[in-house]
Amino acid sequence: MTFDQMRGPSATKVAVLGAGSWGTTFAKILADAAAASGVERDIRLWGRRPEVVDAINARHRNEQYLKDIALPPSITASTDVAEVLSGAQLVVLAVPAQTLRPQLREWKHLLPQGALVVSLMKGLELNSDARMSEVICEELGIPASHVAVVSGPNLAMEIAREEPTASVVACSDFGAAAWVARSCTAPYFRPYTTADVVGVEIGGIVKNIIALAVGICEGKQMGDNTKASVITRGLAETSRLTLALGGQAQTMAGLAGLGDLVATCSSPLSRNHTAGRLLGTGLTLDQVTAQMTQTAEGIKSAQAVHELAGKLGVEMPITAAVVAVLAGKLSVDELGPLLLSRDLKREGDY
């Protein structure tokens, strides 16, 4: 039997683990997609905070992360992960990247057999340098064909407001990717599919680091030429790492590469752009972290990406500079001149 035949045209029971802005927004996408296609879908959202869960159930709101956005009544929430996972065909993970492994170890015995797991996370694990799909396969003991990744220009608030957005679903099993895509095709959310899981994940990881650099430039009141230069060269170094890991160059020219990079580097809604801008104004990393209400994954993943690039012999000067700034080894005033002082080369050289 094919994947589609085993699971039907789309998911009917979905568990979303993580009630932050993107997890809650993706639950809304799944609910709106079901309503648009006339499918009955049970969507359960797990959250750590009882006040967030209670607000979702009582008022159909997640004011903590999505302000006054109304959530469909088909979404229910609970702090009981066993209740949320029970019977789920599709399990969506939207937790901070660095907490994923220990949480999966707690949840593994609760995962329904045969469920397909979707990662919304855009981070690289510290110490292991593992991508989130790799952590999921390792900890849950499931094949790569049962793990999909959703990425692209995914600014949660814009999507929650139902502003038109396209994204990418990646899985080594194309049937599984197509099944997930059908499950999350809403009137305002258009998913494309690919088998390039590596490229999609690396694009989503490195763009956060480049957004930190662009934010620093903005905080230093540098102009659009500077920011465009950092974005473009940032795409080049993201592409180098992607190719070294076996990903595809064409992915970098698509939604999970260029699309996500532009959105994250240019929007004030981007956590990483905001964190970089605050650093650029002269705040310390501790002060920035204290001001941020949500995780800026680039701060957490930058060191892991830098280490991975070193192991592979991939040159990533912007990433290296951001890591030095975060470690206090380089001031934000030195960032721009350092990048411009590199040896001259042809633009197309990777």
Side-chain angles (χ1 to χ4, degrees), residues 12-158:
T12 56
K13 293 185 178 180
V14 182
V16 180
L17 305 184
S21 56
W22 187 210
T24 305
T25 296
F26 199 75
K28 181 181 185 302
I29 292 169
L30 290 162
D32 291 340
S37 58
V39 173
E40 288 190 15
R41 181 171 290 156
D42 177 15
I43 302 167
R44 302 171 192 167
L45 185 61
W46 171 81
R48 292 184 300 107
R49 301 179 184 178
E51 64 274 19
V52 171
V53 166
D54 292 343
I56 292 170
N57 290 329
R59 299 190 296 278
H60 304 297
R61 297 284 192 280
N62 186 341
E63 291 102 339
Q64 178 76 27
Y65 297 105
L66 295 180
K67 299 181 180 179
D68 59 351
I69 298 293
L71 301 176
S74 58
I75 299 173
T76 59
S78 174
T79 57
D80 184 348
V81 72
E83 177 187 339
V84 170
L85 283 171
S86 179
Q89 300 166 297
L90 183 65
V91 176
V92 180
L93 296 172
V95 299
Q98 304 308 325
T99 70
L100 177 62
R101 193 180 293 274
Q103 287 182 301
L104 289 180
R105 288 175 180 171
E106 293 181 16
W107 298 338
K108 179 179 180 179
H109 69 288
L110 301 172
L111 190 80
Q113 186 173 7
L116 192 141
V117 179
V118 172
S119 169
L120 301 184
M121 299 161 292
K122 298 180 179 180
L124 198 67
E125 188 179 47
L126 293 170
N127 300 318
S128 74
D129 301 335
R131 292 175 284 110
M132 295 297 98
S133 65
E134 294 177 314
V135 174
I136 292 167
C137 290
E138 290 170 12
E139 290 300 326
L140 297 183
I142 58 178
S145 60
H146 280 61
V147 179
V149 175
V150 174
S151 193
N154 298 145
L155 296 167
M157 184 56 77
E158 288 189 3

Side-chain angles (χ1 to χ4, degrees), residues 99-265:
T99 70
L100 177 62
R101 193 180 293 274
Q103 287 182 301
L104 289 180
R105 288 175 180 171
E106 293 181 16
W107 298 338
K108 179 179 180 179
H109 69 288
L110 301 172
L111 190 80
Q113 186 173 7
L116 192 141
V117 179
V118 172
S119 169
L120 301 184
M121 299 161 292
K122 298 180 179 180
L124 198 67
E125 188 179 47
L126 293 170
N127 300 318
S128 74
D129 301 335
R131 292 175 284 110
M132 295 297 98
S133 65
E134 294 177 314
V135 174
I136 292 167
C137 290
E138 290 170 12
E139 290 300 326
L140 297 183
I142 58 178
S145 60
H146 280 61
V147 179
V149 175
V150 174
S151 193
N154 298 145
L155 296 167
M157 184 56 77
E158 288 189 3
I159 299 174
R161 292 195 296 246
E162 301 185 9
E163 297 176 12
T165 303
S167 287
V168 179
V169 179
C171 184
S172 60
D173 184 316
F174 194 78
W179 185 75
V180 173
R182 286 195 298 275
S183 298
C184 65
T185 299
Y188 53 89
F189 191 81
R190 168 63 159 89
Y192 291 79
T193 55
T194 180
D196 185 15
V197 176
V198 171
V200 168
E201 284 193 290
I202 292 300
I205 293 165
V206 182
K207 59 97 184 185
N208 286 330
I209 303 166
I210 308 305
L212 286 169
V214 172
I216 290 170
C217 292
E218 188 166 302
K220 294 298 298 178
Q221 298 185 331
M222 296 178 185
D224 291 334
N225 286 339
T226 304
K227 290 182 282 185
S229 299
V230 173
I231 291 171
T232 305
R233 296 312 303 167
L235 182 61
E237 63 182 64
T238 307
S239 299
R240 286 196 291 271
L241 183 60
T242 295
L243 293 173
L245 290 168
Q248 301 172 10
Q250 66 186 34
T251 301
M252 294 299 96
L255 291 161
L258 179 61
D260 201 7
L261 181 65
V262 169
T264 306
C265 289

Side-chain angles (χ1 to χ4, degrees), residues 256-276:
L258 179 61
D260 201 7
L261 181 65
V262 169
T264 306
C265 289
S266 60
S267 175
L269 294 174
S270 163
R271 287 170 258 172
N272 294 280
H273 177 273
T274 298

Side-chain angles (χ1 to χ4, degrees), residues 238-316:
T238 307
S239 299
R240 286 196 291 271
L241 183 60
T242 295
L243 293 173
L245 290 168
Q248 301 172 10
Q250 66 186 34
T251 301
M252 294 299 96
L255 291 161
L258 179 61
D260 201 7
L261 181 65
V262 169
T264 306
C265 289
S266 60
S267 175
L269 294 174
S270 163
R271 287 170 258 172
N272 294 280
H273 177 273
T274 298
R277 181 177 51 78
L278 293 172
L279 287 169
T281 62
L283 297 186
T284 66
L285 181 57
D286 288 341
Q287 290 171 325
V288 170
T289 302
Q291 283 201 26
M292 301 288 291
T293 58
Q294 298 185 65
T295 302
E297 288 288 3
I299 293 175
K300 302 289 186 179
S301 297
Q303 181 62 40
V305 170
H306 183 51
E307 290 176 358
L308 179 59
K311 292 175 185 176
L312 295 171
V314 175
E315 190 179 16
M316 300 186 72

